[in-house]
Amino acid sequence: MIVEEPLDAQDRMDSPIGARMRIGGRDVDYFCGTSYHALHGHPVVIEAAVQALRTYGLGPATRADMPVYTETEALVCQHFGCDAAAYVASGYLSIMALLLALRDDYDVAFADERSHFSVNDALKCAERPVVRFKHRDPQHLSEQMRRHLKPGQVPVVVSDGVFPSTGALAPLDAYADILEAWPGGLLCIDDSHGVGVLGGTGRGTLEHFGLEGDRAFCAGTLSKAFGGFGGVVPASRALAEKIATKGGVVAGASPPPVPAAAAAGAGLRLFMESPAMLQSLRANVAHMRAGLAELGLAVPQTPVPIFNVQASVDLKQVSEKLRARDIVVKHVSAGGYSDAPPVETLRIAVFSSHTPEQIDGLLAGLAAYL
């Protein structure tokens, strides 16, 4: 069981999420969460939600077209370069929608042992054999496939694209190479922390590795980098039809609330129209990575905006001392989340809207307390 640390008045959120925001009555530099472009607090996104609420109310109608949903799905298709898109109630459900749709196209699923809870629940619902492989370990994946696949069987490899606690990047290029030996083999990733962040245009981890194609699929979210809410699966028309008819994720669940859908579309449009967001994020990630390396901390050479700090000091106290400087980072207890290491860590999230001065302030605090 995961036990969250209790919240007190100093943790009360008093403004929209942003690189600089108000928490507990104080303005702070915020290096937490998943709003990698701080679009959740963007005036255009907020106004889109307000206008949709005034026009349509909260919920979807029955037997009545809701243009908000079709417009948001059209924007997803435009961004991901796909023919269709499934827009579901949450990012958590997007990988379930995908695996349920594909359940007749594979025989055995091979899943990273530290996959997100959403992946694990989706695999249970798909009701296909599941074999685990060691975290981010292509060699062990290959061994497990040779051991557990019978002649003619089709595998699917399932993993997070970017792991949420550590920011580790799944070696999807190596997985794709392994799948070449298995005709019809599929690659499915939960890319909630990759879309809007990785790849030349922000389409995510598959774009980052050059793996977009007919046998590689991503389930993503509009709830993080794009500043809205709801899960998405970029799809062909055939896959979208399977998602709509196999399993109850689409047919049996309401879509996201109308204002949330409108906000998601507005955030995605802003992102698509502002390539400077990705450029700023990459620059800030490089700045943070270089600064942490100068402190002697091990940091991966990737463009992922999540940094996992481990040190032989009381990191909870470090987070509290940083908080006294009005700098907020997330203290993660040992093993407290799906991919969290068995030691306590600090999870640092970098946004495209952080200033160099904010990053330097955090690095100075870490230098003082680590």
Side-chain angles (χ1 to χ4, degrees):
M1 182 176 69
I2 296 175
V3 179
E4 290 287 340
E5 297 175 7
L7 301 179
D8 56 32
Q10 78 162 1
D11 299 306
R12 186 188 65 245
M13 182 172 165
D14 297 321
S15 74
I17 296 171
R20 184 74 173 171
M21 63 179 293
R22 195 162 182 80
I23 298 178
R26 297 170 65 173
D27 292 326
V28 300
D29 291 342
Y30 186 71
F31 290 92
C32 300
T34 61
S35 188
Y36 300 116
H37 303 293
L39 286 171
H40 291 91
H42 195 289
V44 171
V45 173
I46 293 172
E47 182 59 24
V50 170
Q51 288 300 325
L53 178 62
R54 287 176 175 152
T55 303
Y56 302 109
L58 277 173
T62 300
R63 294 186 62 82
D65 180 47
M66 297 291 288
V68 170
Y69 296 108
T70 55
E71 290 166 5
T72 297
E73 289 178 356
L75 286 166
V76 171
C77 291
Q78 183 180 345
H79 177 61
F80 286 93
C82 55
D83 295 328
Y87 181 37
V88 298
S90 71
Y92 195 95
L93 292 177
S94 60
I95 187 66
M96 185 179 294
L98 176 59
L99 288 177
L100 286 174
L102 295 173
R103 68 191 303 271
D104 294 330
D105 298 332
Y106 70 89
D107 298 294
V108 183
F110 295 84
D112 187 295
E113 65 184 1
R114 294 191 192 173
S115 295
H116 192 265
F117 312 119
S118 60
V119 172
N120 296 328
D121 285 345
L123 289 167
K124 291 175 186 175
C125 290
E127 297 182 324
R128 287 288 184 268
V130 178
V131 177
R132 302 287 176 174
F133 63 90
K134 294 178 183 177
H135 183 47
R136 301 176 64 247
D137 189 333
Q139 181 176 344
H140 191 239
L141 168 62
S142 181
E143 292 169 357
Q144 291 289 71
M145 291 173 74
R146 290 195 301 270
R147 183 176 299 122
H148 293 280
L149 283 171
K150 298 176 182 177
Q153 286 191 317
V154 176
V156 61
V157 176
V158 189
S159 174
D160 297 30
V162 174
F163 287 85
S165 291
T166 61
L169 191 60
L172 300 186
D173 50 349
Y175 298 167
D177 288 344
I178 292 168
L179 282 168
E180 288 292 330
W182 304 93
L186 307 175
L187 177 64
C188 291
I189 63 167
D190 182 331
D191 210 24
S192 293
H193 295 266
V195 295
V197 169
L198 298 182
T201 64
R203 292 201 297 264
T205 312
L206 292 177
E207 184 184 25
H208 172 77
F209 283 108
L211 294 175
E212 294 172 301
D214 293 339
R215 312 302 294 179
F217 306 91
C218 95
T221 186
L222 303 181
S223 307
K224 294 178 170 51
F226 298 127
F229 191 79
V232 291
V233 181
S236 64
R237 296 193 186 282
L239 177 58
E241 179 64 22
K242 287 182 180 181
I243 292 172
T245 57
K246 294 189 176 185
V249 176
V250 173
S254 295
V258 179
L268 180 52
R269 184 182 290 107
L270 283 169
F271 176 82
M272 292 165 60
E273 293 174 349
S274 307
M277 288 185 188
L278 269 182
Q279 296 168 11
S280 296
L281 184 64
R282 304 266 159 84
N284 285 346
V285 168
H287 184 166
M288 181 66 74
R289 186 171 60 228
L292 293 174
E294 286 182 6
L295 296 179
L297 298 169
V299 288
Q301 297 299 307
T302 74
V304 174
I306 302 168
F307 293 91
N308 185 259
V309 173
Q310 302 180 28
S312 56
V313 297
D314 187 333
L315 290 178
K316 191 170 190 298
Q317 285 191 5
V318 172
S319 69
E320 291 170 352
K321 289 177 181 178
L322 289 171
R323 184 67 175 81
R325 289 191 177 201
D326 292 329
I327 301 172
V328 179
V329 299
K330 174 68 174 177
H331 172 261
V332 180
S333 301
Y337 203 70
S338 57
D339 66 306
V343 295
E344 65 168 350
T345 62
L346 296 179
R347 181 190 185 274
I348 297 170
V350 176
F351 300 167
S352 59
S353 52
H354 281 121
T355 66
E357 292 76 18
Q358 286 179 297
I359 295 172
D360 286 338
L362 172 56
L363 291 169
L366 291 172
Y369 303 133
L370 290 180

